[in-house]
Amino acid sequence: MEVDKGKGEAEETRKVAEADRDTVTLKSSDGKLFEVSKEAAARLSTVLAGMIAGGSIDDNGTDLKQIGSEALENVVDYCNKHANSIPSAALISSSISFNTAPFKEPEEWERKFVDRLSHDALFDLVEAANFLGMERLLDVTCHKISEMMKGKSPDQIREVFNIKNDYTKEELEEIRQELAWAFYDD
Amino acid sequence: MTTTTTMPESPASPPRATTKRPRHGHDAAPSLPDEVIVDHILTRVPAADAVRFRAVCRNWRAALTSDHFTRSHQTVRATAAKPPEIVFFAPGAAAGSTAFYSSRLYNSTTPQNDGSSPASATELVTVSDLRATDLVMSGGCHGLTLLFEPGESAYHVINLSTGEHVSLPPCAWANRAIPYGPYVLSSAGLGFHAAPNEHKVVRLFEDGWTKRPRCEVHGLSSGEGWRPIAGEEVPRRASPAGHRCSSTGASTGT
């Protein structure tokens, strides 16, 4: 069989198991294939659950054009780890919005999982989790980013989030004076 | 080769950013959808950081000062497991100022006895024009704390997380427990009235002139000043607590 392959990435392309339909095959924007347990995908991602229920899963690789291979690999990795370490569905808050579901602190393995990610990989994973409707993964990754932001200056934050400063010098000075206590002497 | 399935538009996915973000360069940091940044990330940062980040850009200031954000931030932060804390104050470094501190409380069941200092105080905010030597903390509600200066017959409401504070309009003097003594016959509480979405302060005191008990209410948003509580006259037996340490009973009177 043939699948689209990224340049020089054939060795990383996983073969679709023809007989095994306990898994779904996902295809990243750059054409790499990843397999994930159907049960875990449906449990952790509202979008994948909808696609599985709606029969719009492609055995040869469901296109996820918005997600790069590195992020998709992390998504799949998370699903597998989650399946192995969570005995019950108690932690899964899919389809519950952020302001009603009490957030449970990341588990030890979840902390390790996000801690090893580079800055860019973490942000990519947030986007992927958001796109796939993976509420718990979104919680865990956003929690990590919020921890990274503690004590940072507005300049540092603009850099991290790629934001342009659209204040005038005078406006910024005004804000700093008004909220002086919240600024460090820098 | 079979046809590939494309991703259906999902209700869970936000509107895509119009500009595709630059990739993996030193000067090209990634950007996330606003909805994710505001609802999922900024709601998790401590209040002081959320205030400082108003200086990041106009969009962020608008988002961080919105009612939607305030409510979400309260909810998300409140669910984070935290040991109980006490709040106290002391005269600040500058004359006539007051510094507020918080300190975590640990009980014997908390696995904290590892030799580290059990509790250290963190400075929250310092407020000038507030004399710690004449100040009573009269309880709090929804993140706001009510302060009373008996010597000035003045009330203040402060947000100890952001340092924002307002002084309430002047109010009638309360009678003193002992002539010229420091204790006044007055107590007050801060409450939240959900229907008009407004904080209210209710004070019960013995009027300094008429020696009769009175009850007044002031709404923080309406700004109409102190007015007598609606309905019946305050019964004579309803005597205010004759202490500097006023009661902390919160009320939502109309």
Side-chain angles (χ1 to χ4, degrees):
Chain A
M1 65 168 292
E2 284 182 41
V3 285
D4 292 339
K5 291 186 182 96
K7 282 176 225 144
E9 290 160 353
E11 74 282 356
E12 291 204 35
T13 305
R14 296 180 194 179
K15 200 174 187 311
V16 180
E18 296 285 353
D20 186 6
R21 289 291 164 256
D22 289 339
T23 61
V24 288
T25 308
L26 306 174
K27 187 151 95 178
S28 66
S29 60
D30 45 347
K32 290 194 199 174
L33 297 177
F34 297 93
E35 257 188 80
V36 63
S37 129
K38 192 181 269 181
E39 192 268 334
R43 216 156 34 88
L44 296 168
S45 159
T46 53
V47 171
L48 291 178
M51 291 174 75
I52 291 166
S56 51
I57 286 288
D58 189 319
D59 290 345
N60 293 316
T62 299
D63 255 347
L64 299 174
K65 288 203 168 68
Q66 297 80 358
I67 303 176
S69 56
E70 195 190 357
L72 194 54
E73 187 171 1
N74 283 324
V75 165
V76 169
D77 197 14
Y78 178 83
C79 288
N80 292 337
K81 284 199 167 78
H82 202 284
N84 292 337
S85 60
I86 305 293
S88 74
L91 270 180
I92 298 141
S93 57
S94 59
S95 82
I96 303 174
S97 81
F98 75 96
N99 50 5
T100 54
F103 172 67
K104 295 209 175 62
E105 290 284 309
E107 310 262 307
E108 185 60 29
W109 72 270
E110 287 175 317
R111 218 173 261 285
K112 282 185 184 149
F113 180 81
V114 293
D115 280 353
R116 68 181 174 81
L117 298 173
S118 72
H119 181 275
D120 280 357
L122 179 61
F123 275 61
D124 282 340
L125 190 54
V126 170
E127 270 201 297
N130 184 50
F131 188 80
L132 290 171
M134 301 178 71
E135 205 64 34
R136 176 65 188 174
L137 181 56
L138 189 60
D139 274 348
V140 171
T141 47
C142 287
H143 181 82
K144 170 69 183 173
I145 293 178
S146 76
E147 282 185 337
M148 289 161 48
M149 294 168 74
K150 277 178 196 163
K152 292 264 197 307
S153 72
D155 275 342
Q156 290 169 314
I157 294 296
R158 277 186 217 110
E159 198 178 319
V160 169
F161 286 88
N162 195 22
I163 291 171
K164 197 173 173 296
N165 178 10
D166 56 0
Y167 284 120
T168 65
K169 238 181 162 175
E170 292 74 28
E171 286 173 323
L172 213 50
E173 192 47 43
E174 204 174 297
I175 293 174
R176 284 188 70 102
Q177 281 180 3
E178 189 189 332
L179 306 168
W181 66 272
F183 288 84
Y184 305 104
D185 293 316
D186 51 3
Chain B
M1 165 106 205
T2 56
T3 54
T4 51
T5 311
T6 49
M7 191 75 185
E9 264 308 304
S10 146
S13 67
R16 305 302 299 168
T18 45
T19 49
K20 193 61 198 164
R21 65 188 230 207
R23 302 291 307 181
H24 304 274
H26 282 95
D27 50 354
S31 60
L32 295 171
D34 286 350
E35 177 243 30
V36 171
I37 293 177
V38 176
D39 288 353
H40 291 273
I41 297 175
L42 292 178
T43 47
R44 291 200 160 89
V45 304
D49 287 315
V51 169
R52 190 171 61 253
F53 295 162
R54 290 180 198 173
V56 168
C57 67
R58 289 169 197 275
N59 272 350
W60 276 37
R61 180 166 65 173
L64 289 169
T65 52
S66 70
D67 286 349
H68 166 76
F69 177 80
T70 311
R71 275 195 300 271
S72 306
H73 189 263
Q74 236 168 31
T75 314
V76 173
R77 294 286 301 174
T79 56
K82 279 182 293 188
E85 292 180 47
I86 58 163
V87 174
F88 60 95
F89 59 86
S97 71
T98 298
F100 292 86
Y101 303 87
S102 75
S103 180
R104 286 186 177 175
L105 295 175
Y106 294 102
N107 58 33
S108 54
T109 59
T110 313
Q112 181 67 28
N113 303 324
D114 53 359
S116 64
S117 172
S120 58
T122 312
E123 187 175 338
L124 296 171
V125 287
T126 298
V127 182
S128 54
D129 310 328
L130 206 60
R131 290 178 304 129
T133 49
D134 178 33
L135 202 62
V136 177
M137 231 186 255
S138 294
C141 175
H142 277 232
L144 300 182
T145 302
L146 179 64
L147 303 170
F148 181 44
E149 288 180 288
E152 306 283 332
S153 189
Y155 285 94
H156 311 271
V157 173
I158 182 168
N159 182 333
L160 287 173
S161 300
T162 67
E164 289 160 303
H165 63 284
V166 290
S167 297
L168 305 195
C171 57
W173 285 84
N175 201 19
R176 292 188 180 277
I178 310 165
Y180 313 111
Y183 301 105
V184 294
L185 296 168
S186 169
S187 66
L190 173 67
F192 185 71
H193 196 184
N197 200 28
E198 185 185 32
H199 281 87
K200 290 183 174 180
V201 177
V202 178
R203 66 186 294 246
L204 181 63
F205 65 105
E206 187 175 293
D207 190 285
W209 289 105
T210 64
K211 310 285 188 276
R212 289 170 66 90
R214 280 172 58 187
C215 190
E216 289 181 337
V217 62
H218 171 73
L220 292 190
S221 311
S222 53
E224 288 165 358
W226 295 95
R227 56 189 172 80
I229 201 149
E232 295 171 31
E233 207 173 301
V234 182
R236 271 220 163 263
R237 297 181 70 87
S239 55
H243 289 291
R244 268 195 154 178
C245 301
S246 310
S247 85
T248 55
S251 165
T252 57
T254 52

